[in-house]
Amino acid sequence: MTWLTDLLAEYGEDIAQSMAETGYMMLVSLLAAVLVGLPLGTVVYLTERGGIAENRAINTVANLYINVVRSFPFLLLVVFLIPFTRAVIGTSFGTQAATLPLCFVAVAIYARLTEQILREIPAGISKVAVASGATVPQAVFRMLLPEARSGLVYALTSAAISLLSYSTVLGVIGGGGIGDFAMRYGYQVYNDDLMYLTIVIIIVCVLAIQAVGHRTSVRLDHR
């Protein structure tokens, strides 16, 4: 294991910095997914045809955003958003700037997953609640979301793993992260050992996210 000790001695601080950059991008994008993607997916579900708050215009606009962002090749989306990123962040380079397009994708991914999870709940639950005098917000917060919480956590786990994969290409705008580190210090300089080490780190991160998400989802599932 001498090679591993040598690699950590030489690149340990850089790896830690890269992991911190990846952690920042993941944390902010997942926060955006929960704060924006969850309500957006719920709106899509509620406003669809036959929904308890049917609204064709709102449903079309919300679906359009989700479909367009999810169909955009991520690298092209990053480049496409550079002018917007520069206007909002003040620069199009760096970890903060790279996080913005990741947030767009996080919102779209989790919104669609949220809609799918809510579709699995028997439609009669929300309709009975409304028929009994509950408002739409009351039906959502007291019936739909509590019923769907296990699935929503598992969906967020899947979204997190996807976002980790997306984050590895953000080096194109100086976003950094462990994936960019693997490319710059491993692949591009033919340091195979370092590249394999970072790949193993990414795999371990994915397994850890999956394990935590699965355990949390199971604990919340009271069916």
Side-chain angles (χ1 to χ4, degrees), residues 148-159:
R149 59 185 180 181
S150 175
L152 291 173
V153 169
Y154 204 80
L156 187 63
T157 302
S158 298

Side-chain angles (χ1 to χ4, degrees), residues 149-150 216-223:
R149 59 185 180 181
S150 175
T216 304
S217 177
V218 169
R219 287 184 176 179
L220 291 175
D221 190 356
H222 298 301
R223 290 176 295 178

Side-chain angles (χ1 to χ4, degrees), residues 19-33:
M19 289 295 295
E21 292 167 349
T22 296
Y24 174 83
M25 290 186 284
M26 292 285 294
L27 181 62
V28 174
S29 59
L30 286 174
L31 188 62

Side-chain angles (χ1 to χ4, degrees), residues 154-176:
Y154 204 80
L156 187 63
T157 302
S158 298
I161 293 172
S162 297
L163 293 172
L164 179 59
S165 176
Y166 284 128
S167 72
T168 60
V169 303
L170 288 173
V172 69
I173 56 173

Side-chain angles (χ1 to χ4, degrees), residues 60-72:
T60 299
V61 172
N63 263 310
L64 182 63
Y65 169 82
I66 295 171
N67 291 334
V68 168
V69 173
R70 291 179 74 234
S71 63
F72 233 111

Side-chain angles (χ1 to χ4, degrees), residues 25 68-69 72-86 91-105 163 165-176:
M25 290 186 284
V68 168
V69 173
F72 233 111
F74 182 61
L75 188 57
L76 295 182
L77 178 65
V78 172
V79 175
F80 176 77
L81 288 175
I82 283 179
F84 178 75
T85 302
R86 188 180 292 118
T91 179
S92 60
F93 191 84
T95 303
Q96 285 188 331
T99 304
L100 187 59
L102 197 62
C103 287
F104 274 82
V105 173
L163 293 172
S165 176
Y166 284 128
S167 72
T168 60
V169 303
L170 288 173
V172 69
I173 56 173

